[in-house]
């Protein structure tokens, strides 16, 4: 039996991917893998996290900001040799919007004319959606209104170009095809569940000359102790996930030169299922929020320099400052709970808190936060919460189907704009997952995204976020993430700290 060659780079990536289909993935771990296989019109600059040319070598924007004309590179081919053309871009975007695909990210394309009505089934003719192939190398995109972050959307997985012929031949099993046509810097060699994803360099990629590593292995590891042991014994080169640092060693490890921290756009929060009693009452949700000592969580549990969050959108995001939400006030919490009909917690039904485990033994941070919340709510409000830990796929399924009471959640920004956080909670968005709907909130988000004036746009977002984190509270923000990864800069190059915590694989290599 012939042994496979060793990888040039081995990366520990957290949870097992749920899928490798760009149109349906939602998890950060999935996206880190998929960005190696497929590409969109733009891609992320590894240093600035801003969109730069990818499959499109250039673009023109109309004076009113509503029409983008993308000019594709003329040397684009799939890893299997067939040409990539403008029709492939159109197919891929329409596939994401097709209701049958059930993409939870499809709402990010609602800025296109008729995209929302097509995705919701009101419009059947996809040719009326605002993405068209003018010729084999030109794609025209028509928007409902100017969208300042539209080029950022063009580097998100939901817009990646995927192989139509393979999908039409194999249907839902298209990712099992070998060879699997790739539009990105790497080809998939295999994906072995609970083992690894192996990539090999795509020699036909348009920028193959600047793709640094020949073979990359990406391993799903959920245990921080396993991760640090693999790294210390030289069996892994890079560890992406901040949760893969043993919390008991955090103080020591963060002083080492191979452990890197940086500001990033990410928020850890609690999600309510507002379709279930008693969480359909905003007073109950506010009471639970007011009874959380968030400072205790970041000082006792996370301990990586995280900042307490009273609002959802992280500080430092472009052109926006969030309004304050609710702060720790157990007296006010008890008052609100009594007003809702549960004085001293009497009569409050037992409920469960959902959080995910990961490959290799579960995420201790999620469990520790859950235990802390359980204790706070019992001590301050007299209510009892059960803990419910499930594997990653079951966790995502429960959120999507609203099969939970409360759940731990997080969101890492897809681009440097407040909409990447606030847009998740409009009615019907696939990432809402709370059952919450508020017409005023929806209207404010729509107005903000149609408003060309930056200051007026920010004011509309602030009104919306006030509803979200102070008045209605379908979510409780707990803390803002600090980006943490570990790798030896004397051995690894091509990774740079950036606000999106995105590190394209083609730039990463070992120092020779």
């Amino acid at each position: 039996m012939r042994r496979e060659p060793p990888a040039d780079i081995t990366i520990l990536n957290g949870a097992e991917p749920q899928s490798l289909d760009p149109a349906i993935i939602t998890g950060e771990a999935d996206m880190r893998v998929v960005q190696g296989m497929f590409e969109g019109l733009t891609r992320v600059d590894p240093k600035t996290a801003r969109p730069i040319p990818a499959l499109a070598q250039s673009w023109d924007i109309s004076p009113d900001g509503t029409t983008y004309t993308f000019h594709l590179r003329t040397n684009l081919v799939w890893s299997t040799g067939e040409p990539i053309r403008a029709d492939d871009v159109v197919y891929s975007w329409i596939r994401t919007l097709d209701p049958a695909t059930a993409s939870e990210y499809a709402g990010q394309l609602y800025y296109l004319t008729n995209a929302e009505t097509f995705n919701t089934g009101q419009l059947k003719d996809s040719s009326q959606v605002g993405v068209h192939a003018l010729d084999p190398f030109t794609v025209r995109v028509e928007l409902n209104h100017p969208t300042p972050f539209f080029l950022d959307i063009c580097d998100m997985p939901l817009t990646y170009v995927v192989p139509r012929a393979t999908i039409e031949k194999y249907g839902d099993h298209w990712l099992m095809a070998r060879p699997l046509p790739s539009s990105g810097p790497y080809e998939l060699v295999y994906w072995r569940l609970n083992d690894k994803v192996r990539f090999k360099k795509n020699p036909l990629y348009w920028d193959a000359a600047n793709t640094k590593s020949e073979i990359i292995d990406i391993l799903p590891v959920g245990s921080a102790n396993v991760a640090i042991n693999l790294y210390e014994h030289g069996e892994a080169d890079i560890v992406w996930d901040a949760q893969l640092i043993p919390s008991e060693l955090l103080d020591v490890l963060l002083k080492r030169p191979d452990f890197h921290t940086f500001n990033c756009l990410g928020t850890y929060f609690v999600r309510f299922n507002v379709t279930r009693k008693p969480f359909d009452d905003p007073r109950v949700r506010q009471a639970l929020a007011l009874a959380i000592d968030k400072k205790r969580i970041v000082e006792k549990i996370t301990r990586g320099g995280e900042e307490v969050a009273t609002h959802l959108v992280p500080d430092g995001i472009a052109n926006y400052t969030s309004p304050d939400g609710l702060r720790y006030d157990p007296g006010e919490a008890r008052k609100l709970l009594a007003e809702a009909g549960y004085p001293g917690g009497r009569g409050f039904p037992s409920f469960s808190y959902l959080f995910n485990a990961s490959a290799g033994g579960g995420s201790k941070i999620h469990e520790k936060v859950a235990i802390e919340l359980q204790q706070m709510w019992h001590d301050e409000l007299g209510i009892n919460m059960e803990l419910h830990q499930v594997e990653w796929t079951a966790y995502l399924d429960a959120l999507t189907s609203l099969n939970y009471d409360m759940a731990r959640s997080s969101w890492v920004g897809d681009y440097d704009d407040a909409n990447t956080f606030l847009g998740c909670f409009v009615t019907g968005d696939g990432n809402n997952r709370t059952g919450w709907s508020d017409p005023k909130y929806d209207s404010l988000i729509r107005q903000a995204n149609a408003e060309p004036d930056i200051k007026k746009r920010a004011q509309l977002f602030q009104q919306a976020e006030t509803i979200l984190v102070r008045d209605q509270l379908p979510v409780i923000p707990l803390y803002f993430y600090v980006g943490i990864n570990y790798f030896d800069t004397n051995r690894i190059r091509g990774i740079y700290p950036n606000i999106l915590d995105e590190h394209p694989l083609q730039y990463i290599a070992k120092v020779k």
Side-chain angles (χ1 to χ4, degrees), residues 308-326:
V308 163
T310 67
H311 45 85
L312 185 70
V313 181
D315 297 328
I317 206 161
N319 303 313
Y320 183 69
T321 301
S322 288
D324 274 338
L326 302 182

Side-chain angles (χ1 to χ4, degrees), residues 389-403:
Q389 176 177 284
V390 297
E391 295 301 321
W392 178 245
T393 300
Y395 163 80
L396 290 177
D397 289 344
L399 290 184
T400 300
S401 61
L402 294 181
N403 186 25

